[in-house]
Amino acid sequence: MNQNELQQLFPEAKITTAPSLGPAYFTLPFQSRWVHIPEHTLNGREKALLKQLLLNEDQTSEIPQNPWAQFLLSHKTDIPSGLAQTQLLQFSLSYREEDAGSFDQALWLDAFSQTLPLVRDCFFLNSKSGVFILDTPEPYCIDDELAAVLDILDDDFSLRTTLYLGQRWPVDARLPLLFEEERKIFAASRTIAKGNKITTLAAIALPYFISESGNQNPVLQALQTTIGSSDSTDELITAMWRNQGNLSKAAADLYLHRNTLQYRIDRFFDATGLSLKNMDDLALAYLAITVVAGIPNN
């Protein structure tokens, strides 16, 4: 469904980069943006049909004949056995169209699974995206392992892979709904996480979940005006946030001398009254540059 078709069917629909316009709107991801339709104009059946069309528009016409795919996408009651906990790792591939005919999905899945022993099952949704089922019985950080896998396989297969790592969840009847929500959340990151090969739920959760009320909040809007919208200011705040206020690490990320960073932080304090070395002030500044814009920064 393209934008014209959607707006012919739902003339009151608004398509924006903001992930929320508030509780009065029914919202779904749409072509790297978000479509918002007034709640009072939709019934339950129309909402279900829109979810099926828009959330699954990149999928193949049929759900893969894989027990995990059937469970996660068809909401069937047959829960696959063997795992008590899992993380769902979504992937998206980019390669030249002229290479599409030579790309071997099964070979790539097998190579990824062999390189990352945590994989218990996997399937493609279409020619360029799919899901890995990870066996993660204990909580630990696997970002470094994933980065190493991508470095090897992207080279070998001449493509670029983007991964979206969900939270560790129990394998029970709630998992299909949680997977649907994770897909919706990660869809918001695809236009703003360019350059990042791995996106985690934790990395985008704060601005995403607060955006519903935050992007219309006059206090944050006024603070955004005070802070300004220059790239250098946003980079300063984001670097400090990523490094939890650690000046040395933030300076390294920004390729600045530590004294130069301290000078910029002092100037920011003089202009706004917010100290980026104070975690409460830093969190408020970070929310102002992310939530008000309706776009999580990564």
Side-chain angles (χ1 to χ4, degrees):
M1 180 184 293
N2 61 37
Q3 182 171 337
N4 288 336
E5 292 170 336
L6 180 64
Q7 297 206 290
Q8 283 177 3
L9 291 171
F10 302 96
E12 295 176 285
K14 299 179 181 181
I15 298 174
T16 74
T17 57
S20 174
L21 294 183
Y25 289 87
F26 176 72
T27 297
L28 288 171
F30 177 69
Q31 296 180 353
S32 299
R33 292 178 292 168
W34 297 86
V35 59
H36 314 275
I37 303 174
E39 281 275 359
H40 72 273
T41 66
L42 298 172
N43 59 36
R45 182 178 177 81
E46 288 170 331
K47 289 181 182 179
L49 287 171
L50 280 167
K51 278 188 177 183
Q52 184 66 26
L53 283 171
L54 300 187
L55 289 180
N56 298 328
E57 65 178 358
D58 291 331
Q59 293 186 22
T60 52
S61 56
E62 294 184 2
I63 294 174
Q65 294 302 310
N66 171 291
W68 278 97
Q70 294 289 318
F71 171 57
L72 293 172
L73 301 173
S74 298
H75 294 262
K76 292 190 174 180
T77 55
D78 295 333
I79 300 174
S81 60
L83 293 180
Q85 306 268 352
T86 188
Q87 280 180 280
L88 301 172
L89 179 65
Q90 301 172 53
F91 63 83
S92 177
L93 307 179
S94 298
Y95 49 76
R96 297 178 304 176
E97 289 305 317
E98 55 265 37
D99 293 334
S102 61
F103 178 67
D104 189 324
Q105 290 187 346
L107 183 62
W108 183 83
L109 288 176
D110 184 62
F112 195 105
S113 301
Q114 292 296 325
T115 312
L116 188 71
L118 296 171
V119 174
R120 289 295 172 268
D121 210 331
C122 49
F123 54 87
F124 268 86
L125 295 168
N126 61 29
S127 62
K128 292 187 176 181
S129 66
V131 183
F132 288 103
I133 315 300
L134 303 185
D135 182 5
T136 53
E138 299 295 335
Y140 69 100
C141 181
I142 65 171
D143 293 20
D144 291 342
E145 288 184 59
L146 290 174
V149 170
L150 293 193
D151 286 343
I152 295 169
L153 294 185
D154 282 3
D155 241 10
D156 289 348
F157 285 84
S158 299
L159 48 73
R160 177 181 174 82
T161 308
T162 305
L163 299 177
Y164 305 93
L165 180 63
Q167 186 64 21
R168 191 170 63 103
W169 302 117
V171 178
D172 57 25
R174 297 176 303 164
L175 189 58
L177 176 61
L178 294 173
F179 174 57
E180 182 178 299
E181 289 301 309
E182 285 189 342
R183 291 181 67 203
K184 184 176 174 182
I185 293 168
F186 284 129
S189 76
R190 294 182 184 181
T191 57
I192 49 82
K194 291 179 179 177
N196 293 337
K197 287 189 172 185
I198 303 170
T199 300
T200 66
L201 183 61
I204 61 173
L206 179 63
Y208 178 86
F209 288 118
I210 297 178
S211 63
E212 183 167 317
S213 58
N215 63 8
Q216 302 297 320
N217 189 286
V219 172
L220 287 180
Q221 288 176 341
L223 187 57
Q224 170 68 42
T225 302
T226 301
I227 290 173
S229 57
S230 71
D231 289 343
S232 60
T233 301
D234 287 2
E235 287 176 0
L236 170 64
I237 295 169
T238 302
M240 288 293 289
W241 176 257
R242 283 178 177 166
N243 293 286
Q244 296 296 285
N246 186 302
L247 265 66
S248 297
K249 291 181 178 179
D253 281 358
L254 293 169
Y255 300 100
L256 295 175
H257 190 279
R258 195 175 187 278
N259 291 343
T260 303
L261 177 59
Q262 180 64 63
Y263 173 71
R264 292 188 181 181
I265 289 172
D266 290 342
R267 286 185 57 190
F268 183 83
F269 177 76
D270 291 340
T272 66
L274 295 174
S275 171
L276 298 183
K277 293 186 290 185
N278 176 286
M279 287 307 297
D280 289 336
D281 286 7
L282 177 57
L284 184 57
Y286 181 71
L287 286 176
I289 67 168
T290 57
V291 174
V292 172
I295 302 174
N297 274 320
N298 266 331

